């Protein structure tokens, strides 16, 4: 298993989209937990590509190709995650997106898949989502939870603007709010008035469940 997950990681770090796709298919036929294949396999490869980029070994095109390999594998595994979701008790409705000015969508998509697999109905707004569109979606969908991802220190403040704008819009049902993304933290959540912070997709599901029951 570890060898298989290492191959998944390497396919992404070496931006081999074809191999990543065939390994994702293999994971499905072998019955590997799709979330495990993503988190312990493919995502590790993207982390490595990120490190090679930081070191100056990779340039932006290589990093983008590694992201594409990761996204291709995730797209193949997504139906298996969704199938699991259909069997679950519904826990609430989530609106999720990456904040404006920020196009990093892989972590956000992973969190969306995890919440969906755990029994939430998820409306994924995508990346670079304006404050206005977050508010519109939260109101329209009567969301129980609004989830905001930010990967750049420069885009973190948008999380605060969204929280303030949602409260100001006074929707019929005031949703709870959760933030995440590498530069964010518990203390940032407290500072901007978010109900919660989660460091990764697994914790995001646990935190979302806790928010729904509190
Ligand atoms: Co960018 N990038 N990038 N990038 N990129 C980072 C984030 C960076 C840390 C790299 C670095 O310099 N060390 C750095 C940010 C520095 C900072 O501000 N602190 C950076 C930069 C600077 C940039 C550009 C500005 C580069 C440039 O153009 N000069 C540019 C920004 C463009 C923009 O957004 N406006 C840019 C572009 C890109 C690519 C397009 C090449 C690509 C993104 C492709 C895509 O997403 N479609 C990319 C990538 C891939 C990365 C790294 C390497 C990997 C990000 C990723 O997908 N990780 C990243 C460095 C790194 O993280 N090592 C980096 C895998 C993913 C599964 O993890 O996203 O952390 P992550 O999500 C986790 C948790 O954070 C958490 O759960 C997820 C799963 O466990 N989580 C949540 C995330 N959202 C959550 C929400 C929640 C809860 C948990 O609740 C709501």
């Amino acid at each position: 298993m570890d060898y298989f997950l290492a191959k998944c990681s390497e396919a992404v770090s070496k931006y081999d989209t074809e191999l990543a796709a065939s390994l994702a298919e293999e994971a499905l036929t072998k019955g590997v937990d799709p979330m495990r294949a993503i988190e312990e396999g493919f995502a590790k490869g993207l982390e490595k590509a990120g490190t090679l980029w930081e070191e100056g070994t990779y340039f932006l095109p290589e990093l983008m190709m590694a992201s594409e390999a990761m996204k291709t594998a995730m797209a193949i595994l997504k139906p298996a995650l969704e199938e699991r979701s259909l069997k679950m008790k519904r826990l609430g409705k989530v609106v999720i997106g990456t904040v404006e000015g920020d196009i990093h969508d892989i972590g956000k998509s992973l969190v969306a898949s995890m919440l969906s697999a755990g029994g939430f109905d998820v409306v994924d707004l995508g990346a670079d989502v304006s404050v206005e569109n977050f508010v519109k979606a939260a109101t329209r969908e009567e969301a129980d939870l609004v989830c905001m991802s930010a990967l750049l220190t420069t885009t973190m403040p948008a999380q605060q603007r969204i929280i303030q704008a949602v409260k100001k819009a006074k929707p019929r049902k005031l949703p709870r709010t959760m933030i995440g993304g590498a530069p964010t933290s518990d203390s940032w959540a407290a500072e901007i008035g978010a109900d919660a912070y989660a460091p990764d997709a697994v914790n995001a599901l646990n935190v979302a469940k806790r928010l729904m029951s509190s």
Side-chain angles (χ1 to χ4, degrees), residues 39 46 54 101 103-105 107 148-149 152-153 178 182 198-201:
E39 291 224 296
L46 191 58
E54 281 161 35
I103 61 165
H104 295 89
D105 65 350
M148 296 149 275
S149 179
L152 300 168
T153 42
M178 175 160 70
D200 56 43

Side-chain angles (χ1 to χ4, degrees), residues 85-133:
S85 163
L86 293 175
K87 297 177 194 140
M88 314 279 299
K89 180 176 158 244
R90 310 324 296 161
L91 298 177
K93 192 164 225 182
V94 173
V95 161
I96 187 169
T98 303
V99 302
E100 60 191 7
D102 199 327
I103 61 165
H104 295 89
D105 65 350
I106 295 171
K108 178 270 302 161
S109 301
L110 210 50
V111 173
S113 296
M114 195 68 191
L115 292 174
S116 167
F120 283 90
D121 294 316
V122 178
V123 178
D124 188 343
L125 305 176
D128 191 12
V129 181
S130 67
V131 174
E132 194 193 350
N133 283 344

Side-chain angles (χ1 to χ4, degrees), residues 20-84:
S22 80
L23 288 167
E25 301 279 4
E26 197 181 328
L28 293 177
T29 54
K30 274 185 167 163
V32 177
D33 175 0
M35 193 47 80
R36 188 163 177 223
I38 293 172
E39 291 224 296
E40 294 175 32
F42 299 110
K44 295 278 177 226
L46 191 58
E47 234 171 72
K48 177 150 188 226
T51 308
L52 290 168
W53 181 44
E54 281 161 35
E55 289 168 5
T57 308
Y58 274 7
F59 294 98
L60 209 52
E62 281 122 325
L63 187 58
M64 290 176 84
M65 287 188 288
S67 307
E68 276 317 304
M70 168 89 197
K71 287 175 114 177
T72 302
M74 275 171 71
I76 292 168
L77 294 167
K78 200 172 169 202
L81 288 167
E82 282 170 353
E83 200 179 304
R84 192 154 71 174

